[in-house]
Amino acid sequence: MKYLHTMIRVSDPDATVKFFNLLGLEEQKRFDSEQGRFTLIFLAAPGDEQAQVELTYNWPPVEGEAEVYGEGRNFGHLAYRVDNIYETCQRLMDAGVTINRPPRDGHMAFVRSPDNISIELLQDGHLPPAEPWASMPNTGHW
């Protein structure tokens, strides 16, 4: 048995790809199905291309067709190990991403994708607590 990917439904593929690019993932392949009216986008971290995230975008319904999906069915969260959690969170904040659970302990943070998918960031090793992160409050939920 081999792990292949985790699929999440997205409402704005461009915004979601941009978000995951900020995290450091790169697009591996993309598939558009005219007949099925969907787009699949596969992303992975460099050097770990076998562990992928599949973004599924269901195209808007054509006239007279019912919406296929309402709100996304979430499952928990995706988790990524990062080389420097402070630098990663700063890069995300600089791009307008809310840090829902700051890395106060130098080890763990949570953010959300444009479709509110919770993303856990875990430091490779442990960094000492540092400001502004150590005193930053939680925002929203994750």
Side-chain angles (χ1 to χ4, degrees):
M1 188 177 292
K2 177 182 173 185
Y3 172 82
L4 296 176
H5 64 264
T6 298
M7 184 277 273
I8 58 175
R9 295 186 201 294
V10 301
S11 59
D12 184 338
D14 293 334
T16 305
V17 168
K18 182 178 176 183
F19 171 81
F20 280 104
N21 287 163
L22 284 168
L23 283 176
L25 276 67
E26 297 174 352
E27 188 170 324
Q28 303 298 303
K29 62 183 173 181
R30 184 181 290 240
F31 172 75
D32 291 314
S33 173
E34 288 284 337
Q35 184 177 2
R37 300 190 43 76
F38 63 85
T39 299
L40 304 180
I41 305 165
F42 292 87
L43 306 164
D48 196 15
E49 289 81 7
Q50 298 304 309
Q52 298 185 357
V53 174
E54 173 192 331
L55 307 179
T56 297
Y57 173 64
N58 295 103
W59 301 355
V62 294
E63 190 174 327
E65 193 175 69
E67 178 102 27
V68 178
Y69 300 105
E71 289 187 21
R73 293 173 286 171
N74 293 334
F75 56 91
H77 66 267
L78 301 173
Y80 292 98
R81 183 176 57 227
V82 297
D83 291 331
N84 186 306
I85 199 163
Y86 297 139
E87 289 175 6
T88 300
C89 286
Q90 189 62 58
R91 184 175 67 249
L92 291 168
M93 273 184 43
D94 290 348
V97 174
T98 299
I99 308 300
N100 300 101
R101 194 277 192 193
R104 289 185 292 273
D105 56 2
H107 181 67
M108 180 182 68
F110 277 89
V111 296
R112 287 187 171 264
S113 77
D115 286 287
N116 282 324
I117 301 296
S118 189
I119 311 293
E120 179 181 21
L121 304 173
L122 294 167
Q123 173 63 40
D124 186 8
H126 220 83
L127 296 178
E131 293 299 339
W133 313 105
S135 59
M136 190 179 287
N138 292 339
T139 302
H141 62 281
W142 59 91

